Amino acid sequence: MKEFKKLNIIISILFIGLSLSCTDKSQTNENQENILWNLEEEYIKAHKDADHSKILSMWDENFLGWPSRLENSAQKNSGSDYLEKYFSKPMPTETKFRIEKQGIHIENNIAILHYRFLLFESSTRITHTWIKRGNKWYILGGMDWNE
């Protein structure tokens, strides 16, 4: 009977621990969506500020992107050249931009985001694929299209 009580207590403790881990608010889809949209804001701001180290730190080591300004897609190792050519100087601090969210889908450690980036009178469609490694999200791939 004592062994049964011990086993019952152990199972109860495991069940409570499992229940608590499943209700971790930091892992909810809504929370992950907010984190990713905030990262997109940071990413755009880093371009505005010409903060190349910040941009490169947000790209996954296996990054592959295809900005509309390039003929072909580019990997992370060639990203510095692209940034130097097109984002060499910070924009004036009063420059305002806006992200118009179009869609997001998260599947385990992969997320796809679609949005319009609005700056001045122009609009650019952007698609980013993010990958979560450990507790941190990185841009795995991206593409834009000027409208």
Side-chain angles (χ1 to χ4, degrees):
M1 189 68 163
K2 281 186 175 184
E3 293 301 315
F4 181 74
K5 280 185 175 182
K6 284 181 185 177
L7 182 60
N8 202 11
I9 290 170
I10 291 170
I11 290 173
S12 296
I13 291 170
L14 289 173
F15 180 75
I16 290 168
L18 181 61
S19 297
L20 290 174
S21 70
C22 289
T23 59
D24 180 4
K25 296 295 184 206
S26 68
Q27 297 303 315
T28 64
N29 225 26
E30 183 180 352
N31 185 267
Q32 293 301 300
E33 287 178 11
N34 290 334
I35 288 169
L36 286 160
W37 286 121
N38 288 335
L39 285 169
E40 288 290 357
E41 293 273 347
E42 280 182 43
Y43 185 71
I44 296 296
K45 184 177 179 320
H47 279 78
K48 180 182 164 228
D49 296 341
D51 187 347
H52 300 171
S53 61
K54 173 73 173 178
I55 295 166
L56 291 170
S57 75
M58 296 179 82
W59 289 354
D60 186 74
E61 289 304 314
N62 299 312
F63 173 82
L64 180 66
W66 196 350
S68 57
R69 294 175 170 155
L70 295 182
E71 278 295 310
N72 300 299
S73 61
Q75 296 179 322
K76 184 174 184 172
N77 59 3
S78 59
S80 292
D81 295 338
Y82 168 78
L83 294 173
E84 284 296 326
K85 184 172 182 178
Y86 294 105
F87 301 96
S88 59
K89 295 179 185 172
M91 293 181 193
T93 54
E94 65 273 2
T95 304
K96 302 288 184 219
F97 67 86
R98 190 165 53 93
I99 288 178
E100 186 180 274
K101 300 171 186 175
Q102 294 296 315
I104 185 170
H105 179 74
I106 301 171
E107 191 73 33
N108 298 320
N109 68 327
I110 301 289
I112 299 174
L113 286 81
H114 293 249
Y115 62 94
R116 279 192 175 87
F117 167 64
L118 305 162
L119 177 68
F120 306 118
E121 299 296 317
S122 69
S123 173
T124 304
R125 293 182 191 182
I126 296 180
T127 296
H128 278 151
T129 302
W130 291 78
I131 187 165
K132 191 173 188 182
R133 300 202 186 275
N135 290 324
K136 191 167 180 190
W137 287 98
Y138 298 92
I139 299 173
L140 182 61
M143 190 171 191
D144 70 43
W145 182 262
N146 294 320
E147 294 187 298

